[in-house]
Amino acid sequence: SHLYSHRWKRHSESLKSVDTNRASMGQDSSEPGGFTDLLLDEGHDNTTQIEEDTDHNYYTSRTYGPFDSISRDLWVNIDQMEKDKVKIHGILSNTHRQAARVNLSFDFPFYGHFLREITVATGGFIYTGEVVHRMLTATQYIAPLMANFDPSVSRNSTVRYFDNGTALVVQWDHVHLQDNYNLGSFTFQATLLNDGRIIFGYKEIPVSVTQISSTNHPVKVGLSDAFVVVHRIQQIPNVRRRTIYEYHRVELQMSKITNLSAVEMIPLPTCLQFNSCGPCVTAQIGFNCSWCNKLQRCSSGFDRHRQDWVDSGCPEESKDKVCEKNVDTTENPPHTTTSLQPTTTRFRVLTTTKGATTSHLPTSLPTEDDTKIALHLKDNGASTDDSAAEKKGGTLHAGLIVGILILVLIVAAAILVTVYMYHHPTSAASLFFIERRPSRWPAMKFRRGSGHPAYAEVEPVGEKEGFIVSEQC
């Protein structure tokens, strides 16, 4: 993720809202739920360990250490929730590398987009994309601790989730690493609130996250979002190439993930929140917001609606930032920050065609789930029109098909000629090859012209031409 120099100032009431807007609403117990068996020893230092706010352009993250009381308040004790609302996913709790859809009872804003459905994976992350593909670990995820977890190796491992109408809590309970069971069990959770906040809570982290191997599975902590662009391949009818562009990523420091720690991520304003032209083009929120009259939408051009934005000609229309007359420009965004200088946008591209994945220039060590990713840099005015690449790919496909057809025709012709010569030994083709055979060869058998199964034994006569036919003939 790209770090920007501006600072997002949190209002004082935001800190107060931690207790009033907890995901475990209705639980007013003064004791830190879920931490009664993990209280700190009296000899430990109780000083606050709060990391400074870090702006990630779309989110502001704050990490709370194990000695901070807020980290306990952010943990949701699912055992104290209403039992009929807590669900244990049977398939996820007993399988490896599995994912399942979960419906939300509320609209969850993620990078400015409202989600009503997510995909929970056994690997310690939530997939937020609409297009399900094999590379779920590549983009569009919420990962409190993505790793090679296998709930099937232990009977105590479960994947549970809880939805109370304003928040969804997904908890991975006592899960073990599939390729290193002896490291111990991990217990952590991710909470998605209806105001867009995302909270990662960690109750049991037996080893440093930096020591977890990524050989068989990516290890990530953070967020990612991407947009999907579909290209038609003209040379091959009814075949489309789907390209996934990761336009933003939040990567949290793994060394800060310990027992009783927590991470809170607060969403920053995006262009998608504006509903009219005036506030859109005058917004000072760190994005180059533009208004598209055809779509009646405000956007920076880089969000999940990128396909519609380009197909509708919004990039050309947005060059003229003059709004139509009688447009109300008094609307103010709920949050404002200082404007930023133009920056570059980092993309990771995942291209699929009929389920197959292709890539260029891998940027990380290959792993089983994360080997088909390419890294590209584009500026904010860049377009995702890959016409040149598409033509090249289409030409490659067409050439491959033509080459295969020619090879098949050559093999078929050779077979037909061989069969014909075998059944017509007196034909011009057969005689042509017979006359050019070497002068020395072992005894051969020739079929009679009558077609009867009688054969004549022929033998070479030294260096001279011709044959001596036996009396049997």
Side-chain angles (χ1 to χ4, degrees), residues 350-369:
L350 171 65
T351 304
T352 60
T353 303
K354 281 191 173 180
T357 58
T358 59
S359 65
H360 308 279
L361 303 177
T363 59
S364 59
L365 292 177
T367 59
E368 188 169 339
D369 287 87

Side-chain angles (χ1 to χ4, degrees), residues 22-243:
R22 288 175 55 189
S24 56
M25 296 181 64
Q27 301 297 325
D28 298 330
S29 174
S30 59
E31 297 181 359
F35 288 93
T36 55
D37 55 341
L38 296 173
L39 294 179
L40 301 175
D41 296 336
E42 295 181 357
H44 288 170
D45 185 10
N46 291 328
T47 57
T48 301
Q49 295 185 349
I50 303 177
E51 296 296 324
E52 292 295 329
D53 287 347
T54 302
D55 292 340
H56 308 283
N57 199 23
Y58 288 87
Y59 286 87
T60 292
S61 66
R62 168 169 279 193
T63 303
Y64 300 94
F67 305 111
D68 190 82
S69 60
I70 298 182
S71 63
R72 294 166 171 76
D73 295 334
L74 294 177
W75 177 267
V76 180
N77 192 342
I78 293 185
D79 296 331
Q80 296 181 358
M81 302 296 103
E82 301 178 23
K83 293 184 178 181
D84 58 336
K85 293 184 179 180
V86 178
K87 298 181 180 180
I88 299 177
H89 202 287
I91 296 178
L92 298 181
S93 301
N94 295 279
T95 54
H96 180 226
R97 293 187 186 279
Q98 188 64 262
R101 288 285 194 182
V102 174
N103 294 321
L104 301 175
S105 63
F106 58 92
D107 291 327
F108 170 65
F110 183 67
Y111 279 90
H113 310 91
F114 290 96
L115 305 181
R116 268 300 182 112
E117 188 179 56
I118 60 172
T119 302
V120 178
T122 56
F125 68 98
I126 299 171
Y127 176 69
T128 61
E130 298 177 356
V131 180
V132 178
H133 51 86
R134 186 179 64 87
M135 307 292 290
L136 295 184
T137 62
T139 61
Q140 296 180 300
Y141 57 77
I142 299 174
L145 181 52
M146 180 190 296
N148 192 22
F149 293 113
D150 185 1
S152 65
V153 299
S154 174
R155 294 183 179 180
N156 296 327
S157 301
T158 58
V159 178
R160 298 187 290 172
Y161 61 95
F162 165 76
D163 189 340
N164 66 354
T166 60
L168 172 73
V169 182
V170 180
Q171 181 165 318
W172 291 262
D173 265 324
H174 305 294
V175 292
H176 293 259
L177 293 170
Q178 198 268 345
D179 47 8
N180 202 338
Y181 180 88
N182 295 329
L183 286 182
S185 64
F186 295 74
T187 298
F188 54 93
Q189 63 181 211
T191 303
L192 315 182
L193 293 98
N194 60 355
D195 61 0
R197 286 186 298 156
I198 301 173
I199 298 173
F200 296 159
Y202 305 93
K203 181 178 180 180
E204 185 181 7
I205 306 296
V207 297
S208 174
V209 178
T210 57
Q211 298 179 6
I212 300 177
S213 173
S214 60
T215 303
N216 299 321
H217 195 286
V219 179
K220 302 177 182 178
V221 179
L223 311 174
S224 170
D225 198 29
F227 56 82
V228 181
V229 177
V230 179
H231 306 276
R232 292 184 178 180
I233 301 178
Q234 298 179 356
Q235 290 80 358
I236 307 178
N238 301 324
V239 175
R240 296 183 179 182
R241 185 184 65 181
R242 180 183 295 113
T243 303

Side-chain angles (χ1 to χ4, degrees), residues 354-419:
K354 281 191 173 180
T357 58
T358 59
S359 65
H360 308 279
L361 303 177
T363 59
S364 59
L365 292 177
T367 59
E368 188 169 339
D369 287 87
D370 195 9
T371 58
K372 302 295 183 180
I373 305 301
L375 183 65
H376 296 272
L377 295 178
K378 295 187 178 181
D379 56 18
N380 283 341
S383 171
T384 59
D385 183 12
D386 297 333
S387 57
E390 184 173 345
K391 291 180 180 178
K392 182 178 179 180
T395 304
L396 179 62
H397 285 291
L400 181 61
I401 293 176
V402 172
I404 293 175
L405 290 177
I406 293 176
L407 181 61
V408 171
L409 290 176
I410 293 175
V411 174
I415 294 175
L416 291 176
V417 170
T418 304
V419 173

Side-chain angles (χ1 to χ4, degrees), residues 288-427:
N288 185 19
C289 299
S290 301
W291 180 259
C292 183
N293 288 318
K294 185 175 182 180
L295 297 177
Q296 290 294 298
R297 181 182 301 151
C298 181
S299 174
S300 64
F302 297 102
D303 53 50
R304 295 195 178 189
H305 306 299
R306 174 70 181 182
Q307 181 88 53
D308 294 338
W309 187 262
V310 175
D311 293 344
S312 302
C314 296
E316 295 297 326
E317 179 183 339
S318 62
K319 292 180 179 179
D320 184 10
K321 290 196 172 185
V322 178
C323 297
E324 297 179 356
K325 295 182 178 180
N326 300 326
V327 175
D328 183 14
T329 60
T330 59
E331 179 182 350
N332 293 322
H335 302 284
T336 58
T337 60
T338 57
S339 60
L340 300 179
Q341 296 178 354
T343 58
T344 57
T345 302
R346 184 179 298 270
F347 287 94
R348 289 167 64 85
V349 184
L350 171 65
T351 304
T352 60
T353 303
K354 281 191 173 180
T357 58
T358 59
S359 65
H360 308 279
L361 303 177
T363 59
S364 59
L365 292 177
T367 59
E368 188 169 339
D369 287 87
D370 195 9
T371 58
K372 302 295 183 180
I373 305 301
L375 183 65
H376 296 272
L377 295 178
K378 295 187 178 181
D379 56 18
N380 283 341
S383 171
T384 59
D385 183 12
D386 297 333
S387 57
E390 184 173 345
K391 291 180 180 178
K392 182 178 179 180
T395 304
L396 179 62
H397 285 291
L400 181 61
I401 293 176
V402 172
I404 293 175
L405 290 177
I406 293 176
L407 181 61
V408 171
L409 290 176
I410 293 175
V411 174
I415 294 175
L416 291 176
V417 170
T418 304
V419 173
Y420 176 80
M421 292 172 58
Y422 179 77
H423 290 283
H424 300 80
T426 60
S427 63

Side-chain angles (χ1 to χ4, degrees), residues 448 455-457 469-473:
R448 268 185 170 181
Y455 295 86
E457 298 291 337
V469 182
S470 66
E471 294 179 355
Q472 297 177 0
C473 187

